[in-house]
Amino acid sequence: MAEKPTVYVTRRIPEAGLALIRDTCRMRLWEGELPPPKEVLLQEVADCDGLLCLLTDPIDAEVIGAGVRLRVISQMAVGVDNIDLRAATARGIPVGHTPGVLTEATADFTFALLMAAARRIPEGVDYVRAGKWQTWEPMGLLGVDVWGATLGIVGLGRIGAAVARRARGFAMRVLYYDPNRRPDLETELGAEYAELEDLLASSDFVSLHCPLTSQTYHLIGEVELRRMKPTAILINAARGPVVDPDALVRALSEGWIRAAALDVTEPEPIPPDHPLVSLPNCIVVPHIASATVATRERMAAMAAENLLAGLRGERLPYCANPEVYQRES
Ligand code: DGY
């Protein structure tokens, strides 16, 4: 009987994924609550055929190089900016990821952030908890209307489009900016293409849904924040470094924009004494947009399926570096 492949899983993930792996592999699991330290990762990958990792694990060229037997890397996330894809491709290692299964949960959560910031829900909760609620206040905690407002979506991929679908239910005008124009979605969703600077100047809400790449690093900085309306709200459920955090602190403190709601930050996790955490017009939550029971189960199963396909020498169902297959042929 052929020997079972050895795989390293960098955190306890839902059983829906672990059970699939345990069945056919010799699985080693990092049980810590925090990511494994780099030296552990380097040591663990040394004799592994497969690696299942999370977005908090820096899978750089050194780690990939240390995995001399690695045949597949599978990440339980759609974004793979923590993985050196070029190094993986150069070694002929396919990298799996989990697109699609988290789209609706992430779009729901984006809307939750948008609504929470527009209607100042966290401030209301704090107000009641602090015992400040004495009467109905005609001028208290006034927010802004969502119904009929203009939403600017930066990055009209799966999640951006799912957010646009929700916006239609709120009678919003939807603008989008994306390096690839999407006439199909313009028709389906009534979304209007705009250059980034026009989108920023015209939107009441700006929601970011682009991947983190060298082109999108600090895409939203001082110039872009100053272009936004002073009444506008910025939502980031993409990746923290898409926004320059120092510029955002100034924008929120000096009133260039009204508020921000962030599921992701730079750095991540954000230190509790960071100004963005204490500003009353900024909501920060700990990267939980895909955090529903069902979604995380689907992500874990999909990550396991990618891993197992790679170990069997099959094409990964969801591969983030498909060029690895062209390289082989
Ligand atoms: C992802 O999948 O990239 C999200 O950020 C976490 O679900």
Side-chain angles (χ1 to χ4, degrees):
M1 211 168 79
E3 206 181 301
K4 286 182 172 183
T6 301
V7 304
Y8 185 55
V9 180
T10 63
R11 209 82 51 79
R12 184 163 282 282
I13 61 170
E15 196 48 34
L18 291 183
L20 292 176
I21 300 170
R22 240 189 251 108
D23 273 357
T24 47
C25 303
R26 283 184 9 173
M27 179 177 77
R28 290 202 303 262
L29 177 64
W30 172 255
E31 289 280 6
E33 270 180 34
L34 298 180
K38 177 87 175 268
E39 58 280 11
V40 172
L41 208 46
L42 288 171
Q43 204 181 322
E44 289 287 358
V45 296
D47 65 344
C48 276
D49 302 290
L51 171 67
L52 192 147
C53 55
L54 304 187
L55 56 87
T56 43
D57 303 313
I59 309 299
D60 57 16
E62 193 185 359
V63 173
I64 292 168
V68 285
R69 274 171 49 179
L70 266 187
R71 282 182 279 143
V72 56
I73 298 171
S74 175
Q75 167 133 303
M76 187 182 133
V78 62
V80 286
D81 46 277
N82 57 312
I83 301 177
D84 188 333
L85 286 185
R86 203 184 297 201
T89 306
R91 278 271 319 278
I93 302 173
V95 175
H97 67 149
T98 63
V101 289
L102 49 85
T103 298
E104 303 305 339
T106 304
D108 283 349
F109 195 79
T110 301
F111 240 85
L113 285 177
L114 184 154
M115 298 292 284
R119 302 303 305 272
R120 306 177 62 179
I121 292 174
E123 287 174 83
V125 172
D126 289 348
Y127 197 76
V128 174
R129 287 193 174 148
K132 292 183 182 164
W133 186 17
Q134 310 227 357
T135 182
W136 183 82
E137 297 172 37
M139 313 275 269
L141 288 173
L142 301 184
V144 292
D145 287 319
V146 174
W147 180 265
T150 298
L151 170 65
I153 295 180
V154 179
L156 198 66
R158 289 183 204 84
I159 298 171
V163 170
R165 268 179 212 109
R166 283 154 180 75
R168 294 187 69 181
F170 285 83
M172 296 176 99
R173 176 182 180 210
V174 177
L175 305 178
Y176 81 97
Y177 166 74
D178 193 293
N180 303 312
R181 233 182 127 154
R182 295 292 306 268
D184 53 333
L185 293 176
E186 289 175 26
T187 311
E188 181 200 329
L189 304 171
E192 301 165 43
Y193 178 83
E195 292 300 332
L196 183 59
E197 56 188 48
D198 297 330
L199 176 149
L200 293 169
S202 314
S203 298
D204 301 306
F205 299 92
V206 173
S207 193
L208 306 176
H209 299 286
C210 50
L212 175 62
T213 64
S214 49
Q215 282 88 49
T216 62
Y217 175 78
H218 287 191
L219 180 70
I220 306 297
E222 170 162 356
V223 171
E224 292 73 24
L225 289 161
R226 284 193 186 277
R227 227 181 271 283
M228 289 171 67
K229 294 183 184 181
T231 50
I233 293 176
L234 177 71
I235 299 115
N236 189 4
R239 283 292 184 267
V242 174
V243 178
D244 174 350
D246 297 335
L248 183 59
V249 170
R250 278 183 285 133
L252 292 169
S253 322
E254 296 171 18
W256 312 348
I257 65 171
R258 182 186 180 93
L262 312 173
D263 182 44
V264 289
T265 56
E266 183 193 18
E268 202 167 290
I270 195 165
D273 60 353
H274 192 286
L276 287 174
V277 176
S278 48
L279 279 167
N281 54 348
C282 188
I283 298 171
V284 184
V285 290
H287 204 149
I288 52 173
S290 68
T292 72
V293 175
T295 298
R296 289 287 166 83
E297 281 176 357
R298 284 196 292 266
M299 289 168 70
M302 195 176 203
E305 279 154 14
N306 276 328
L307 181 82
L308 298 182
L311 292 172
R312 288 191 300 264
E314 294 166 9
R315 197 182 172 102
L316 307 198
Y318 297 94
C319 185
N321 60 340
E323 60 279 9
V324 77
Y325 297 113
Q326 284 149 23
R327 186 183 160 277
E328 274 171 8
S329 59

